[in-house]
Amino acid sequence: MTPDERRDEVEPAVGHGEHGHRQHGNGQHGGGQHDVDGRHDGPVDALHEDEGAVKKDSISLAVATGVYGISFGALAIAAGLNTWQAMALSLLLFSGGSQFAVVGVLGAGGTGASAVATSTLLGVRNSIYGLQLNAILRPRGLKRVVAAQLTIDESAAMAVGRPTAKLSGIGFWWTGFGVYLLWNSMTFVGTIAGNAMGDPKKYGLDAAAVGAFLALLWPRLGTLQGKLTAGLAAVIAVGLSPVTQAGLPVLATVVAAIAVGLWWSTRTDELPTLPSDDATEEGAGA
């Protein structure tokens, strides 16, 4: 069989698009998402649905988290802060755990120095998030400053683990801006309502953010790696909580991700390598 005959025999199974890109199926241009070699993996609508789903999840998480700002505003007033001081904490510090630490220490009679030290300890995790997010988003100039301000638990959670940098960016920016706007708006509402609304926990606001995080975490537990990481992190957090300061157990759970990640990488290296598509085609052509 001549090379031309062999090529004619193989190529009908793989069509060519209008612009010469190899693609599976009927060869219509615009029918799907291009792979690195120009092939289409699936319908374009699927990509749009992914972006829409990320935006929807980001908005849902932003609402659940932002509404809890009412609680911070009310507690800040109860701790002796005025409306402008509470708003300054939300606008500039913008870290729920650190903000609650400040008003908690001040409300208990602690000094400003101890309040700052405690809130700083809780905010260390945002620096860790920033290292990973900087590699994913690669912000420049003023955008880098804004990204640093919006780096919180929720925006980081919605950005990491996405299949593309574009989806990571959508998750980060939509969640970050959504939480920022709602958190500050609800903080103001909380300061106005003050003690008149009573304990915000009776409205279930304290459970809203936790419930949103559980909903975000649940799909990630479908893999063995996710289950092992979550299980080990829970053991570390529960074991350290009674004997360490607030914030340390959360930071210590990073060990779980590192340990499972290292073990998983060695386990993956031991698996046999499957032949590539190019090697398969060459073998068929021979």
Side-chain angles (χ1 to χ4, degrees):
M1 180 180 294
T2 66
D4 291 338
E5 291 174 337
R6 184 182 299 115
R7 181 190 60 196
D8 294 339
E9 180 179 351
V10 174
E11 286 186 350
V14 182
H16 285 71
E18 289 183 8
H19 301 285
H21 297 300
R22 290 181 66 197
Q23 62 186 43
H24 293 283
N26 57 14
Q28 295 177 348
H29 179 68
Q33 179 185 359
H34 287 287
D35 199 351
V36 291
D37 64 350
R39 289 180 293 181
H40 292 252
D41 293 330
V44 173
D45 289 343
L47 180 60
H48 292 167
E49 290 174 357
D50 286 343
E51 293 179 5
V54 174
K55 292 177 182 179
K56 181 179 179 180
D57 290 343
S58 299
I59 294 174
S60 299
L61 185 57
V63 171
T65 304
V67 171
Y68 194 39
I70 294 177
S71 178
F72 170 73
L75 292 175
I77 296 299
L81 301 181
N82 59 36
T83 298
W84 300 114
Q85 290 171 329
M87 289 303 303
L89 280 174
S90 283
L91 289 168
L92 302 177
L93 181 55
F94 186 54
S95 180
S98 296
Q99 291 179 227
F100 279 110
V102 170
V103 298
V105 172
L106 294 178
T111 64
S114 61
V116 171
T118 303
S119 65
T120 301
L121 181 61
L122 287 171
V124 169
R125 68 187 188 280
N126 290 338
S127 299
I128 300 175
Y129 298 154
L131 294 175
Q132 186 173 12
L133 291 173
N134 184 62
I136 298 173
L137 303 177
R138 298 186 181 279
R140 295 291 183 269
L142 181 60
K143 196 173 183 180
R144 186 184 184 94
V145 177
V146 176
Q149 178 66 5
L150 298 180
T151 298
I152 54 176
D153 296 331
E154 292 79 6
S155 60
M158 289 300 295
V160 300
R162 300 292 179 188
T164 65
K166 182 178 182 180
L167 291 179
S168 294
I170 292 174
F172 176 83
W173 293 112
W174 278 69
T175 304
F177 278 118
V179 174
Y180 191 82
L181 293 173
L182 287 172
W183 179 264
N184 284 284
S185 299
M186 294 299 102
T187 294
F188 181 75
V189 172
T191 61
I192 298 301
N195 294 327
M197 67 180 296
D199 187 358
K201 293 182 179 180
K202 71 181 182 181
Y203 301 107
L205 296 180
D206 59 323
V210 177
F213 263 110
L214 287 177
L216 188 64
L217 174 65
W218 189 257
R220 300 175 183 270
L221 299 181
T223 64
L224 177 60
Q225 186 179 12
K227 293 176 181 176
L228 290 175
T229 304
L232 182 57
V235 171
I236 293 174
V238 171
L240 292 180
S241 292
V243 295
T244 59
Q245 292 182 344
L248 284 179
V250 176
L251 295 177
T253 56
V254 175
V255 175
I258 296 175
V260 175
L262 291 175
W263 175 79
W264 194 266
S265 63
T266 59
R267 179 177 179 272
T268 303
D269 292 340
E270 295 175 355
L271 296 176
T273 303
L274 297 177
S276 63
D277 293 340
D278 293 338
T280 304
E281 290 181 3
E282 291 177 1

